[in-house]
Amino acid sequence: MDKKDICSYTYSELQEEMKSFGEKSFRAGQIYEWLHVKLAEDFDEMTNLAKDFRKRLKEEYEIRRLTLRERQISRKDPTEKYLFELWDGNLVESVLMRYSYGNSVCISSQAGCRMGCRFCASAIGGLIRNLSASEMLGQIYRIQKLIGERISNIVVMGTGEPLDNYDNFLKFIHMISDEHGLHISQRNITASTCGIVPNMRRLAREGLQITLALSLHGSTQEKRRKLMPVANKYELSEVLDACGYYFQETGRRVTFEYSLVQGVNDSKEDAKELIRMLGGKNCHLNLIPVNQIKEREFRKPCRKNILEFKNKLEHHKINVTIRRERGSDIDGACGQLRRRHTASKKEN
Ligand code: SAH
C-alpha cells in the first residue's frame, strides 16, 4: 500500500490524524513545525520525537520532497529558474525573482495544462495531472532551502490552471499562509486564472485576501476566443462580472494580464476596446510582451508600439504597467524549460 503524503495534511487534519494514530495532538504541532517551518526532509531529523514513534511514522507516511533536476541562473537579472522532479517522475518548473521588497517565487499548479491557450508552451502536451498541495508547497520549500533566504511573495503563474485544481490549490493557500507554517501573508500571493467563472466566484467567497489575476489577452469575446479556448465556454462578459464579484466580496483589486502579440491584439482598436472595458474600474492592467516560443508563430510588438499602446490606456486613467521581462536568457517563463526537457525525452 502507498504511504500517505504527510505534507498534504493541514494543521488541523494532522491533529486528527495523530489522534487516530494514538498520539497526543500536540505531537501534530511538533511534526507540522518540522515539515513546514524547518523544512525537514526525513523523519530522523525530528529529534524531539522518540525513535520508535519516528519508526511508526515512517511505516505509515512519507515526506515527498521535490528533486532538483536543473537550476538556471540568469546573467541579466536576479532571476533563477528551477526544474523539479516529482515523486512519480513528472517535471514541474518554478521561478525565483529577487526584488528590493523580497524574494518572489512563481509556482506551477499542475503538471501540464488542459486550457490550450494558443501562445503558451505549457498547453502543448496537455494536462498530465494535478499537483497536490504538498507539491505546490514543495516548490517554495525547496527554493527557500537552496538559497537560504525567506520567500515572501508567491505568484501562482507557472504551468497549470489553479482553478482547474481547485481543492488542492485552496488547501495550498491555507497552508502556506498558516501561522504554524511559513506564514506568508495572503496579501503577498497572486493567483492567475484563464477565467473559469464558477470557480472564480467560489474563490471570492472563501474569505481569502489573495490577489486574483485574470488572463484577458483579447479585447473582445471574438478575439479572446481565438487565443484562448476557455472563452468558448465562458463569455467575456461573464468573466468580467466574476472579476467584479471578486472585488466586491474581497475588496481586492483584480489584475488583468494582457499578453501583447504583434498583429493579433496590439492595434489601436484593441486599445480602444480595453479602454471601454476597463475605464473607470478599480483594477490594474499588466501588459506582457508575449514570450516567443519555438513551436508558435506569435511575435511580440516592437518596444515603440508597446509603449504607444500603454500610453493610450494611461491617457484614459487606466492603471497600466508593462511586465518587466525577467530571465529571458533562461527559457524565460511559461513552461519552456519543462517543455524542452519533455520534448528531448521523447526525441531520445
Ligand atoms: N492558467 C493560468 C496561470 C498560468 S500562465 C492563467 O491562464 O492565467 C500565467 C500567465 O502567463 C497567463 O496570463 C498566461 O496567459 C501567460 N502566458 C502564457 N504563455 C505566455 C507566453 N508565451 N507569453 C506571454 N505570456 C504567456
Side-chain angles (χ1 to χ4, degrees):
M1 200 188 75
D2 277 352
K3 291 186 187 177
K4 295 189 229 171
D5 170 19
I6 196 163
C7 294
S8 268
Y9 292 105
T10 62
Y11 188 74
S12 56
E13 282 171 352
L14 194 62
Q15 283 179 322
E16 284 307 307
E17 194 70 14
M18 285 304 109
K19 258 190 239 159
S20 60
F21 204 64
E23 286 289 334
K24 300 237 163 50
S25 74
F26 81 91
R27 292 280 175 219
Q30 292 178 314
I31 299 172
Y32 201 88
E33 189 182 11
W34 278 112
L35 294 173
H36 300 284
V37 180
K38 297 178 180 159
L39 313 182
E41 303 191 348
D42 196 301
F43 288 107
D44 284 331
E45 289 178 47
M46 305 182 183
T47 43
N48 56 352
L49 305 181
K51 248 189 180 164
D52 71 306
F53 178 36
R54 292 192 320 238
K55 186 163 165 273
R56 282 172 53 226
L57 284 172
K58 272 189 248 178
E59 283 162 9
E60 189 96 4
Y61 304 98
E62 61 187 350
I63 305 175
R64 289 184 187 162
R65 294 303 191 202
L66 280 56
T67 312
L68 180 66
R69 281 280 301 273
E70 194 173 321
R71 178 181 187 177
Q72 297 184 338
I73 301 175
S74 172
R75 278 183 297 271
K76 288 188 180 167
D77 49 54
T79 300
E80 297 184 18
K81 181 132 195 178
Y82 301 87
L83 185 74
F84 294 120
E85 185 170 329
L86 307 176
W87 62 279
D88 62 354
N90 275 307
L91 299 173
V92 292
E93 57 187 273
S94 325
V95 182
L96 165 71
M97 292 157 287
R98 295 169 194 266
Y99 293 103
S100 51
Y101 56 78
N103 292 318
S104 178
V105 167
C106 171
I107 64 157
S108 297
S109 57
Q110 296 178 312
C113 183
R114 62 188 179 122
M115 295 300 133
C117 299
R118 303 269 181 259
F119 45 80
C120 178
S122 299
I124 294 170
L127 177 67
I128 300 172
R129 70 167 174 84
N130 283 331
L131 299 194
S132 63
S134 78
E135 288 167 332
M136 289 182 241
L137 293 167
Q139 299 169 57
I140 297 156
Y141 294 177
R142 176 55 79 218
I143 294 174
Q144 179 156 313
K145 273 200 115 170
L146 276 164
I147 65 168
E149 291 170 32
R150 183 173 163 77
I151 308 298
S152 54
N153 293 66
I154 296 167
V155 290
V156 188
M157 290 191 185
T159 298
E161 167 52 48
L163 300 191
D164 187 39
N165 182 15
Y166 191 88
D167 294 341
N168 293 346
F169 164 69
L170 187 64
K171 194 173 202 183
F172 159 76
I173 297 292
H174 284 301
M175 289 176 80
I176 197 69
S177 55
D178 189 331
E179 58 178 355
H180 301 98
L182 282 193
H183 198 188
I184 297 180
S185 163
Q186 288 187 3
R187 290 173 169 261
N188 293 352
I189 304 175
T190 298
S192 176
T193 179
C194 61
I196 300 185
V197 169
N199 287 351
M200 289 167 72
R201 291 185 162 269
R202 201 171 148 198
L203 192 69
R205 293 188 294 266
E206 301 283 1
L208 302 176
Q209 277 295 292
I210 65 170
T211 299
L212 183 67
L214 174 80
S215 294
L216 182 60
H217 306 323
S219 61
T220 61
Q221 165 63 11
E222 261 323 288
K223 285 215 165 184
R224 199 164 182 266
R225 221 167 49 80
K226 285 195 182 126
L227 292 169
M228 306 174 72
V230 69
N232 290 313
K233 197 152 180 203
Y234 305 109
E235 284 275 334
L236 180 55
S237 57
E238 294 176 78
V239 178
L240 294 173
D241 281 351
C243 291
Y245 182 68
Y246 190 85
F247 178 58
Q248 178 197 313
E249 291 296 303
T250 62
R252 304 288 294 160
R253 190 176 74 162
V254 172
T255 293
F256 293 92
E257 296 158 275
Y258 193 88
S259 294
L260 274 169
V261 188
Q262 187 184 24
V264 174
N265 63 4
D266 65 339
S267 68
K268 284 193 185 121
E269 214 26 66
D270 289 308
K272 264 193 208 153
E273 289 289 354
L274 286 179
I275 291 162
R276 211 170 300 160
M277 185 194 302
L278 303 178
K281 275 197 181 134
N282 191 356
C283 65
H284 170 223
L285 177 66
N286 199 4
L287 300 175
I288 315 170
V290 75
N291 258 304
Q292 289 162 206
I293 58 174
K294 78 171 191 308
E295 293 88 348
R296 297 282 185 266
E297 290 300 296
F298 297 121
R299 295 279 166 263
K300 61 180 154 201
C302 66
R303 191 75 198 157
K304 182 175 152 278
N305 289 2
I306 295 174
L307 287 174
E308 268 177 28
F309 197 87
K310 175 179 181 252
N311 290 342
K312 273 195 204 90
L313 296 159
E314 255 173 358
H315 191 71
H316 286 83
K317 309 236 167 347
I318 292 175
N319 191 328
V320 52
T321 48
I322 299 174
R323 176 168 316 159
R324 271 193 276 168
E325 286 178 82
R326 286 280 204 137
S328 52
D329 56 332
I330 50 170
D331 290 315
C334 313
Q336 296 178 63
L337 179 60
R338 174 177 164 274
R339 174 85 202 123
R340 180 156 62 68
H341 271 257
T342 17
S344 62
K345 225 164 109 193
K346 276 185 197 138
E347 280 153 22
N348 284 337

